[in-house]
Amino acid sequence: MEKSESSAFIEQELSWLNEIIITRLKLYFNHETSRASIWEIIPPVISGQQGPYAGFIEKNALSPADRICLMLSFVPTLKPQLFDCFNIRNTDTNQRFVEFGCVQGIHYHGLLPTFETLLFILAGDDVTEKTNYADYFNRHVLFSRRLILRDLMSEHDPANSAILSPSVQLMEILAGDGGSFAPYFSSKFPARPLVTRREWKDLVLEETVMSQIEEIKAWVEFGDRMLDEWELRDKIKPGYRALFYGPPGTGKTFTASLLGKYTGKEVYCIDLSMIVSKYIGETEKNLSNVFEAAENSNWILFFDEADALFGKRTGIKDAHDRYANQEVSYLLQRVEDYKGLVLLSSNLKSNIDEAFARRFQSIIRFPMPNAGQREQLWKNTFSSKTIFEQLIDLTEIARKYELSGGSILNVVRYCSLMSMQRNNNIILNNDILEGIRKEFRKEGRTMD
């Protein structure tokens, strides 16, 4: 019921916005209209409306101008044809009227609203009104909290030509009624969901490591209750930060995905190569998009190969180095202020900046598995539908060849493919040895 009522209200908002735009164009071109101002058009009544979108408007006490801004950002997603009226051309220039502000997307065929579009709808060609509204929205919560994003197509474009789009948090609100909006991986949102079909029993680690992971799991499940019910929120800062370090393939990423699976939290793996930008300020903006979405949805954030962003800061040789260090300091603060779980992964603990390492609640070393753990990994990883060649001795293979869990998984994949290629389900000893040889070559090692 709530979903249909919420959708009906959004339809009313879109119809209201459409009427506002048509009236603004009539007033601008001195066409016949019964209205002297767009503000004679009454917005849909909020009182009594159900659903998260109406609730968001009411909670934030949004004015009619605020609601125009809000709905404007949603138009390309909900009703792109509403902007068709801005496609008319100026007969003097044979181009669209620049004062309308809409721009054509690179791959998107419709028009995208810009900050100039918002100012035109609200103020027409009144320069004083435009200036007042620009100042008002530059300080407005919709933009200061980056609920609505402003993105320039080129760093050289004027500020008012920035494209308006809803943040992931606003898309979550639009989805509403318990549903969730899955953000698309892009340079604006450089994070992917991290999921696994495997089980907790498949995680083979030392007992001391497992107990540390259980502590993290307990915090995700009971942290908020502990802070609230035991009145510790004034003494203990919310949020939990943990560093996983150790050689590749030792279970760091797998552990992160399992923590999400068994606590009912979504895990997002941040692609640091897309976050770190050569353009000043872009790194902060890219990471902010992820954190703003995460804070609304209580995600677990996993930074793989975190050295790229959270490593030791450089000495200051020039202005660029000074800014880079300031940028990293900002990012570290953002991580520290996050109220959920942040996991950082690194091959070496020494690569992480010590000033930041002191802020971790847990620093967990993921060592290479010992012979007994390797044997368990071999047995757990092979399919129960396969048959081993008689001379295979997994205990001896585990004792003789030091491999990480990730490398063992690669060997099992190789052996299983070779078996399938032979149209049988028999795992051969030679295939296991060849698979191990391939893994050793990757690391520059040779087999005895």
Side-chain angles (χ1 to χ4, degrees):
M1 182 66 176
E2 181 180 298
K3 183 175 180 180
S4 61
E5 289 181 1
S6 181
S7 298
F9 178 70
I10 291 171
E11 285 284 356
Q12 291 175 36
E13 287 278 288
L14 284 166
S15 296
W16 170 66
L17 176 62
N18 183 56
E19 197 172 351
I20 291 278
I21 292 173
I22 297 301
T23 300
R24 169 55 67 201
L25 288 171
K26 287 181 177 180
L27 291 170
Y28 184 69
F29 289 116
N30 294 315
H31 291 172
E32 185 178 345
T33 175
S34 60
R35 299 186 176 100
S37 166
I38 62 169
W39 305 118
E40 294 179 13
I41 306 169
I42 307 302
V45 177
I46 291 290
S47 179
Q49 292 289 345
Q50 299 296 313
Y53 187 79
F56 177 82
I57 293 172
E58 192 166 29
K59 178 183 176 183
N60 292 279
L62 299 188
S63 69
D66 302 337
R67 288 164 67 175
I68 288 172
C69 178
L70 183 65
M71 188 48 67
L72 196 68
S73 72
F74 280 120
V75 167
T77 302
L78 299 177
K79 206 165 188 176
Q81 65 270 31
L82 195 147
F83 287 156
D84 286 351
C85 57
F86 288 130
N87 256 324
I88 57 176
R89 292 183 177 272
N90 188 325
T91 55
D92 294 331
T93 64
N94 199 33
Q95 295 181 347
R96 283 201 311 271
F97 285 82
V98 293
E99 54 267 48
F100 296 169
C102 284
V103 297
Q104 185 81 48
I106 297 173
H107 301 293
Y108 174 68
H109 295 298
L111 294 178
L112 299 169
T114 65
F115 195 65
E116 185 65 44
T117 310
L118 173 64
L119 297 181
F120 171 76
I121 292 171
L122 295 175
D125 62 350
D126 188 320
V127 175
T128 302
E129 279 290 279
K130 277 191 174 184
T131 303
N132 290 339
Y133 276 119
D135 182 60
Y136 170 74
F137 279 109
N138 283 333
R139 295 177 286 105
H140 199 282
V141 65
L142 289 172
F143 292 102
S144 64
R145 287 176 53 198
R146 292 181 57 76
L147 294 166
I148 295 179
L149 307 178
R150 284 192 284 190
D151 293 306
L152 291 171
M153 295 186 76
S154 165
E155 60 180 319
H156 303 296
D157 289 343
N160 284 357
S161 67
I163 296 168
L164 303 184
S165 60
S167 66
V168 174
Q169 182 176 350
L170 276 185
M171 292 303 292
E172 286 272 6
I173 291 166
L174 186 68
D177 74 322
S180 67
F181 171 77
Y184 295 104
F185 177 80
S186 68
S187 58
K188 292 183 181 179
F189 188 83
R192 301 179 190 271
L194 189 63
V195 295
T196 183
R197 296 177 64 180
R198 300 172 73 191
E199 306 295 331
W200 200 261
K201 62 180 177 60
D202 296 320
L203 186 62
V204 179
L205 295 169
E206 292 180 358
E207 189 175 333
T208 53
V209 177
M210 286 298 295
S211 66
Q212 289 177 287
I213 293 167
E214 285 290 344
E215 179 190 337
I216 298 174
K217 185 166 171 278
W219 183 87
V220 175
E221 293 176 329
F222 306 111
D224 281 336
R225 280 186 56 196
M226 177 189 72
L227 295 178
D228 291 330
E229 294 179 15
W230 291 9
E231 299 178 350
L232 292 172
R233 204 168 278 278
D234 292 337
K235 300 175 182 178
I236 299 176
K237 193 171 185 177
Y240 197 104
R241 290 157 297 284
L243 171 66
F244 294 171
Y245 74 96
T250 49
K252 301 185 291 294
T253 303
F254 182 32
T255 299
S257 62
L258 285 174
L259 281 168
K261 181 175 182 177
Y262 283 90
T263 58
K265 306 288 185 187
E266 291 183 89
V267 183
Y268 272 81
C269 181
I270 287 81
D271 186 333
L272 291 175
S273 67
M274 291 189 75
I275 279 184
V276 179
S277 172
K278 64 182 179 180
Y279 296 113
I280 290 177
E282 284 298 305
T283 299
E284 294 179 13
K285 187 167 72 173
N286 292 342
L287 190 58
S288 289
N289 290 340
V290 176
F291 272 103
E292 281 148 16
E295 284 161 355
N296 183 57
S297 305
N298 200 17
W299 293 337
I300 295 173
L301 295 180
F302 180 69
F303 291 84
D304 197 12
E305 298 181 11
D307 322 49
L309 191 58
F310 302 102
K312 293 181 177 177
R313 283 169 275 189
T314 62
I316 298 175
K317 297 177 183 177
D318 53 31
H320 186 274
D321 287 341
R322 186 179 299 107
Y323 185 84
N325 284 343
Q326 290 173 354
E327 191 173 59
V328 169
S329 295
Y330 162 81
L331 297 172
L332 298 182
Q333 190 63 50
R334 194 67 193 262
V335 169
E336 188 173 13
D337 290 342
Y338 183 58
K339 295 179 181 179
L341 173 61
V342 178
L343 304 173
L344 275 68
S345 171
S346 173
N347 292 340
L348 294 170
K349 176 187 173 185
S350 58
N351 288 347
I352 300 297
D353 188 290
E354 290 181 11
F356 185 57
R358 288 195 294 270
R359 306 172 192 178
F360 288 112
Q361 277 71 46
S362 294
I363 297 179
I364 304 176
R365 176 176 172 266
F366 284 68
M368 288 289 285
N370 60 33
Q373 291 164 348
R374 292 197 294 272
E375 181 178 358
Q376 189 178 346
L377 285 165
W378 281 112
K379 291 177 178 178
N380 286 357
T381 308
F382 274 110
S383 169
S384 59
K385 296 184 178 181
T386 57
I387 298 171
F388 291 105
E389 185 182 13
Q390 201 164 27
L391 58 85
I392 290 175
D393 184 346
L394 290 180
T395 303
E396 177 60 18
I397 289 171
R399 183 196 67 77
K400 189 173 181 180
Y401 302 107
E402 186 182 44
L403 292 166
S404 69
S407 293
I408 289 172
L409 186 62
N410 289 339
V411 176
V412 170
R413 181 187 290 112
Y414 171 76
C415 295
S416 301
L417 284 173
M418 295 302 100
S419 177
M420 293 285 287
Q421 197 173 44
R422 292 189 295 269
N423 293 318
N424 61 42
N425 63 339
I426 300 171
I427 302 297
L428 300 182
N429 191 61
N430 281 341
D431 287 340
I432 293 179
L433 295 179
E434 178 57 27
I436 293 172
R437 192 174 290 110
K438 285 161 64 72
E439 291 303 303
F440 273 29
R441 282 196 211 107
K442 292 179 188 176
E443 302 169 16
R445 293 195 288 167
T446 56
M447 290 177 63
D448 297 333

